[in-house]
Amino acid sequence: MSFEKAASTFKRLKPAFVLLAIVSSIGLWWAFRPEKLFVNQKVDEAAPAGIASMQPLFTGSLRSSTGDDTHGRVNILKNGSTFRLELSGFATKGMGPFTISLVRNGSEEADAKEIGVFSAGVNHQDFDLASGVSPDDGDAVLVTENDNHTLIAKATIEAF
């Protein structure tokens, strides 16, 4: 008998439940506006000042010369009349410190033009090229260990 009583109460209140569900759905839609998740408009905004002036020239992927899992990416950027070497994603088992140099592919390491020194564990580093160093001075980037001058990795750079 109690089941029949519950069923008749539900039948009597069914329109109220439906109305409550509709009002709740509209309220949730209004609160969260799911169509606002997808914006199909162009953004008319200038790039940050430091990025807008940088022009990518060359790029290369560092490859290990010792057989371990050394890797990273090298980009050479131009900012007006100055050049910057950007080292990103560099990882190695070596402890460093390391020297990064620019060299002609196939020439001796002694002919390399040193760009900077850095430590392991830093994922992203920027090096300003000295006034006498130009990307035209080489077509490869070397990473050597400072302690014993062991070649750790090499990247052949090519135009963007």
Side-chain angles (χ1 to χ4, degrees):
M1 190 80 132
S2 65
F3 176 73
E4 291 172 0
K5 188 177 179 183
S8 86
T9 304
F10 179 74
K11 284 182 183 179
R12 193 171 31 96
L13 293 176
K14 186 175 181 180
F17 286 135
V18 169
L19 184 62
L20 181 64
I22 291 171
V23 170
S24 296
S25 296
I26 291 171
L28 287 170
W29 170 82
W30 180 79
F32 295 107
R33 302 293 301 261
E35 76 275 7
K36 296 281 186 177
L37 290 174
F38 306 100
V39 177
N40 193 15
Q41 296 175 344
K42 285 187 175 181
V43 177
D44 187 20
E45 186 177 298
I51 294 174
S53 62
M54 296 300 250
Q55 176 187 1
L57 298 177
F58 300 99
T59 187
S61 184
L62 284 167
R63 304 275 185 234
S64 173
S65 59
T66 59
D68 64 5
D69 58 350
T70 299
H71 60 276
R73 183 142 221 50
V74 177
N75 296 317
I76 296 180
L77 311 168
K78 183 177 182 180
N79 185 11
S81 62
T82 62
F83 298 99
R84 172 178 288 171
L85 186 136
E86 182 181 74
L87 175 65
S88 59
F90 182 75
T92 186
K93 290 180 181 176
M95 298 303 293
F98 303 102
T99 300
I100 190 162
S101 308
L102 188 64
V103 67
R104 284 251 170 248
N105 219 352
S107 67
E108 298 294 321
E109 285 180 47
D111 299 332
K113 298 200 176 193
E114 184 178 318
I115 295 172
V117 176
F118 65 99
S119 298
V122 179
N123 190 28
H124 183 91
Q125 293 231 355
D126 291 331
F127 303 93
D128 290 325
L129 273 60
S131 60
V133 180
S134 164
D136 297 330
D137 292 340
D139 53 4
V141 173
L142 304 179
V143 175
T144 55
E145 201 162 14
N146 278 6
D147 295 341
N148 53 13
H149 303 288
T150 304
L151 180 62
I152 300 296
K154 180 179 181 179
T156 301
I157 55 174
E158 48 196 39
F160 255 96

